[in-house]
Amino acid sequence: MVKGLAWGEDFAGRIQRENFRVHSVFRSVCNLQADRARPLLALVLERGALGPNALWLEQACLADRLQAGQEVHFAAGRIVCGALEIDCSEVIPYQRVVGPAAPWDGTALGQVQNWLELQAPGFASGQSKLAAMLGRGLLEENEALLRAALRGLLGSGQGLTPWGDDFAAGVLHAYVRAGPAGNPFLNQLPGIVGEAALQTNEISRTMLWYAARGTGPAYMADVVDGIAAGGPGALLPANRLRHVGSSSGLYLLAGILLGCKITEAREQVCDGRENLGQTQYLF
């Protein structure tokens, strides 16, 4: 018996209503799928991976107990799948609101970018044309530009989640999370991103689904909230994110930095310190 520690609201609600099967199994993550049109749920062994669609477990060997295609059953506070049985009787809810608690500060943005430059020289400073297009599309709220950038980025690169997916997810997550609430353009993002995400795999589609809504794993939200609050508090979560996967963390972090730059530029435009034409240096 493995103990469930905490779960997100989407996991808690859907696991009790839908019929799931194991989609894919990795060292510290098992993805569950019920409907191909909906995001995956996840069993995770690391707190940083905990998000709305995840259940955080005490340490267990997932790869030895689970196989793709196995049915997942939930009853009487327990999840049973293959040789894995999870006790959810004492699980606690995990819920994190969209948007940082503190007002946007931005002083930590340069600190994190300088730190990343030391860790991976040239990584954060080198911007591709597609990255620039994505940044301009979001800053100017230009739907055509945004769609074109996503078509070029999503599905690009090697790996479980291609680098283009990771980068775009980081940008979107920060753009929505750190940006002002009530912006009508934010309501269009999930549909635009969901349409473009059909060209990549189901794991990436889940990541992008949540990023377009400003939510996702704690290891992403911690970085954005740390940068928004200012001070040195963003460096530790940035270092944790940087080590996620073989390269995913680096691309997610680079995307988050661009998303935060867009937020900073948007703040300056709203305050009258700059206009859109003066923000070209960002991209």
Side-chain angles (χ1 to χ4, degrees), residues 3-15:
K3 185 177 181 180
L5 302 175
W7 57 15
E9 58 181 344
D10 290 355
F11 190 103
R14 293 182 60 197
I15 197 67

Side-chain angles (χ1 to χ4, degrees), residues 13-20 34-35 38 72:
R14 293 182 60 197
I15 197 67
Q16 302 179 59
R17 299 192 310 265
E18 302 175 40
N19 298 317
F20 285 89
D35 182 343
R38 303 197 67 188
V72 180

Side-chain angles (χ1 to χ4, degrees), residues 91-145:
V91 70
I92 62 173
Y94 170 86
Q95 186 173 12
R96 192 164 185 161
V97 298
V98 175
W104 174 260
D105 181 293
T107 57
L109 180 56
Q111 294 176 344
V112 176
Q113 178 148 339
N114 291 338
W115 170 84
L116 182 58
E117 182 65 23
L118 291 174
Q119 301 296 311
F123 195 88
S125 57
Q127 292 285 352
S128 69
K129 291 183 178 180
L130 286 171
M133 188 184 300
L134 178 61
R136 298 300 304 179
L138 290 171
L139 181 61
E140 298 173 3
E141 300 184 357
N142 184 320
E143 183 176 335
L145 203 58

Side-chain angles (χ1 to χ4, degrees), residues 38-71:
R38 303 197 67 188
L40 302 173
L41 299 187
L43 306 174
V44 302
L45 300 183
E46 298 175 4
R47 183 210 166 274
L50 183 56
N53 64 323
L55 168 61
W56 178 28
L57 308 178
E58 64 181 2
Q59 289 301 307
C61 188
L62 299 178
D64 288 349
R65 301 191 189 187
L66 299 171
Q67 296 179 358
Q70 289 176 319
E71 293 184 353

